Amino acid sequence: MHDINAIRENPEAFDAALKRRGVEARAADLLARDDARRKAISESQELQTRRNEVSKKIGQAKGHGNEVAAQQLMAEVSSLKQDLQNAEEAERVLKAELEAAMASLPNLVMDDIPDGADEDDNVEIRRWGQPTQNPAALQHFEIGEALGQMDFEAGARLSGARFVVLRDGLARLERALGNFMLDLHVNEFGYREVSPPVLVRDEVVYGVGQLPKFEEDLFRTENGYWLTSTAEVTLTNLVREQILDHVSLPLRFTALTPCFRSEAGSAGRDTRGMIRQHQFSKVELVSIVDAESGEAELERKTQCAETVLQRLNLPYRVVSLCAGDIGFGSRKTYDLEVWLPGQNSYREISSCSYCGPFQGRRMNARYRAEGEKQTHFVHTLNGSGLALGRTLVALLENYVNEDGSITIPDVLRPYMGGDEKIEAAHGA
RNA sequence: GGAGAGAUGGCUGAGUGGUUGAAAGCGGCGGUCUUGAAAACCGUUGAGCGUUUGCGCGUUCCGGGGGUUCGAAUCCCUCUCUCUCCGCCA
């Protein structure tokens, strides 16, 4: 959500920032609505003042037993009633219209992100590790199916397209990855582990900006719950409608949760394999910070996510998303793209975003500095650290051996009972 | 699923239609006293919005929304949440 006062102060800057995203100018329209709204507020407040004055006198007259005077005053004020109702209704409507107009507008991007229209204009920031080039490299689903531990037919039988069943070593590998990542972020980077709900109500989804605009990307239960598409939704909303002490910031939360996405509009993309599923597990990293710390926290968070890939020894690159490709609620986003030999390309495995006060305002989440009266909206950040399914994909393609077995990276072995390899299941 | 009770300021807790944004206590902050601290005493202490250069003025908010009334924390409707008992259940 945007700050209408900031738009009033500098409408040109607002429109210019929207334009970088390819969104048409809106400031003039919003300010006209705001002007009408404020006029309506003044009008209804004026009527309220008059009503309150007379009503007090009525109370006093009745208190003194002066019924005649009271009756006169009541007759006088009753004529105000309809006017007041009309004025209040007008105010309500104008306020709702302004909010609706703003709720669907994306966050303003930061000055230092690249210009561009789509993902082709994203800018590579750095690379880590040596990508292996091998024309004969297998894709993860070929490797997993050969192991007899990645079963898309079973997934289809249970649930349909874009679902998978993992078994044996691969099932355990996924669990090991989750534990490894959580331990890393909790023990080394100071995140607090959280186990949140995955079913949430409307306003929570609105708070992070997925509603009202992206309803079609989400699953919903028949009685009105939304299935969270990422733990960002719940972890960020942990502070909704709160006023935090400045000294308690930053807050850093991590959680391992299933994520549910309808993938509407992705028809035909990544139809084979585990890259794009309706349900996947992810370790999420969320930070709640003050207005000054957001940019530094984005760098820190990106490092936290990168460390996972480094410990797993998976080659990757960091990409800064351009203005046309960046997400709705973000001001600046780094994507981490892991090297997939089977696809001979880098694929997104993490996305770290700095949202400024955009979500804080939608959630009405604030903080207050020691001894100050003024409250400020919290700034929020989120990032994957990492998506388990895609990490498993990367491990298969980067760690597959000649015989089809998978070497387990050193850091995961304690989580795999000391095993060094995943080999074909019995009877596969 | 059935029956019932409740939601008031940072906390506890009064208040059932008329100068009530709300008693009282606790907590917090400031002050007096003290070498310092404690105790005691005095004062102060919610969140928004509109308007104003500013001091300020006005207005809304007693779980959310709507209604009745000249006037609502107080009456009505509705939603959400919490609690108790019964049933079911991982």
Side-chain angles (χ1 to χ4, degrees), chain A residues 125-143:
Chain A
I125 303 293
R126 59 181 170 271
R127 288 188 184 209
W128 187 92
Q130 287 299 319
T132 50
Q133 306 274 352
N134 176 6
L138 296 174
Q139 296 217 57
H140 72 277
F141 47 84
E142 299 171 299
I143 299 166

Side-chain angles (χ1 to χ4, degrees), chain A residues 407-425:
Chain A
T407 299
I408 298 169
D410 291 343
V411 292
L412 294 181
R413 290 181 186 177
Y415 296 95
M416 296 285 286
D419 289 358
E420 297 178 8
K421 278 186 179 180
I422 295 172
E423 299 185 288

Side-chain angles (χ1 to χ4, degrees), chain A residues 140-183:
Chain A
H140 72 277
F141 47 84
E142 299 171 299
I143 299 166
E145 286 176 334
L147 284 168
Q149 299 177 17
M150 185 181 290
D151 192 340
F152 294 97
E153 284 178 26
R157 253 181 280 130
L158 295 176
S159 306
R162 295 202 191 282
F163 288 92
V164 68
V165 172
L166 299 179
R167 282 193 257 264
D168 304 318
L170 291 190
R172 191 181 198 186
L173 179 63
E174 185 180 44
R175 178 160 57 91
L177 279 170
N179 285 337
F180 161 66
M181 292 180 198
L182 283 174
D183 284 349

Side-chain angles (χ1 to χ4, degrees), chain A residues 67-127:
Chain A
E67 274 301 320
V68 179
Q71 288 298 329
Q72 275 179 355
L73 289 163
M74 280 164 69
E76 183 186 325
V77 78
S78 64
S79 65
L80 277 177
K81 199 181 170 182
Q82 191 58 48
D83 291 346
L84 222 193
Q85 276 184 352
N86 292 343
E88 285 178 341
E89 177 62 16
E91 178 189 337
R92 199 151 43 214
V93 169
L94 289 166
K95 183 185 179 202
E97 285 177 354
L98 175 63
E99 275 176 7
M102 289 212 292
S104 294
L105 286 179
N107 202 354
L108 303 182
V109 298
M110 292 186 68
D111 291 337
D112 66 347
I113 78 164
D115 278 315
D118 54 39
E119 60 184 328
D120 295 333
D121 297 316
N122 295 340
V123 172
E124 182 176 312
I125 303 293
R126 59 181 170 271
R127 288 188 184 209

Side-chain angles (χ1 to χ4, degrees), chain A residues 3-17:
Chain A
D3 178 4
I4 189 67
N5 295 314
I7 299 172
R8 203 184 302 143
E9 278 167 27
N10 199 341
E12 294 80 13
F14 182 78
D15 282 340

Side-chain angles (χ1 to χ4, degrees), chain A residues 130-140 142-143 275 313-316 338-347 390-400:
Chain A
Q130 287 299 319
T132 50
Q133 306 274 352
N134 176 6
L138 296 174
Q139 296 217 57
H140 72 277
E142 299 171 299
I143 299 166
I275 295 283
N313 204 23
L314 291 170
Y316 67 89
V338 70
W339 177 252
L340 296 185
Q343 293 197 356
N344 197 42
S345 65
Y346 287 100
R347 291 300 304 261
R390 289 188 181 182
T391 308
L392 189 134
V393 165
L395 286 181
L396 292 192
E397 295 195 10
N398 284 279
Y399 279 84
V400 66

